[in-house]
């Protein structure tokens, strides 16, 4: 731990950090769970407080979700929304010991996969594309249940791409 003040409670691989609002807490999401690399306990997300300490969300079991490359987003109302590489969607409650709630139906495998990408292009609306096809979908989480709508396809299949929202609101897909 060369010079670092605080370490995560468990080892993480491909973590995703989200800013959780005015408290300035950050949520590193899971990396490999117990099924990979002997990282027992990594199937629970953690909260990093402003002082740098980490709090494990023991009640938020993500063990049933794919462990690699999670897509997580902070919604305008403060909720956390995510989906795994199999297209399973969920909310994470960070209060107390935390909880995970699966929501909606999984989206098509054509736009899922570990080498697909997602970008929130407006509050509560996520463009998900690439991976297994040239397909793209919009996931709308502004309502009570996420809705998934097919949108225009990409000209070329993008693997391990990056989704960027430009200043004029256009979306750029690169690899």
């Amino acid at each position: 731990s060369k010079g670092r003040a605080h370490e995560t409670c468990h080892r993480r691989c491909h973590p995703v950090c989200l800013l959780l609002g005015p408290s300035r807490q950050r949520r590193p999401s899971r990396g490999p769970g117990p099924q990979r690399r002997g990282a027992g306990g990594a199937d629970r997300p953690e909260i990093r407080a402003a002082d740098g300490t980490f709090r494990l969300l023991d009640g938020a079991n993500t063990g049933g979700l794919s462990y690699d490359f999670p897509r997580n987003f902070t919604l305008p109302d403060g909720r956390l929304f995510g989906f795994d590489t199999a297209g399973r969607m969920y909310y994470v409650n960070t209060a107390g010991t935390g909880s995970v709630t699966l929501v909606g139906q999984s989206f098509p495998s054509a736009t899922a996969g570990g080498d697909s990408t997602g970008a929130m292009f407006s509050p509560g609306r996520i463009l998900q594309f690439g991976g297994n096809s040239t397909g793209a979908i919009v996931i709308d989480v502004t309502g009570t249940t996420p809705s998934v709508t097919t949108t225009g396809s990409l000209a070329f299949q993008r693997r391990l791409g990056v989704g960027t929202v430009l200043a004029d609101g256009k979306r750029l897909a690169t690899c």
Side-chain angles (χ1 to χ4, degrees):
S1 83
K2 297 182 177 187
R4 289 184 256 175
H6 302 281
E7 298 290 333
T8 57
C9 298
H10 296 287
R11 191 171 140 220
R12 304 284 164 182
C13 180
H14 309 299
V16 175
C17 290
L18 299 173
L19 188 59
L20 300 181
S23 66
R24 311 304 280 179
Q25 293 184 341
R26 288 168 178 77
R27 174 192 174 255
S29 63
R30 62 180 287 189
Q35 71 276 25
R36 292 286 300 251
R37 301 187 189 154
D43 55 350
R44 307 290 195 278
E46 300 178 48
I47 299 292
R48 182 181 183 267
D51 68 0
T53 58
F54 286 89
R55 175 174 58 94
L56 190 66
L57 297 178
D58 287 320
N61 186 351
T62 58
L65 300 169
S66 179
Y67 68 89
D68 56 349
F69 303 110
R71 277 66 168 177
N72 295 296
F73 303 90
T74 303
L75 301 180
D77 63 6
R79 293 179 299 159
L80 298 180
F81 171 77
F83 51 90
D84 70 1
T85 56
R88 290 175 291 227
M89 299 180 283
Y90 54 89
Y91 289 110
V92 177
N93 177 350
T94 62
T97 61
S99 63
V100 174
T101 304
L102 293 174
V103 292
Q105 296 181 345
S106 297
F107 54 80
S109 64
T111 52
D115 53 1
S116 63
T117 193
M120 186 177 292
F121 64 91
S122 70
R125 299 190 70 214
I126 300 159
L127 177 65
Q128 169 70 9
F129 64 89
N132 299 325
S133 74
T134 60
I137 58 173
V138 172
I139 304 168
D140 187 333
V141 290
T142 58
T144 55
T145 302
S147 66
V148 176
T149 306
T150 301
T151 190
S153 294
L154 301 168
F156 302 98
Q157 184 176 6
R158 306 286 176 165
R159 298 193 91 105
L160 301 173
V162 175
T164 305
V165 180
L166 303 176
D168 64 2
K170 292 180 181 175
R171 277 71 88 192
L172 173 68
T174 57
C175 338

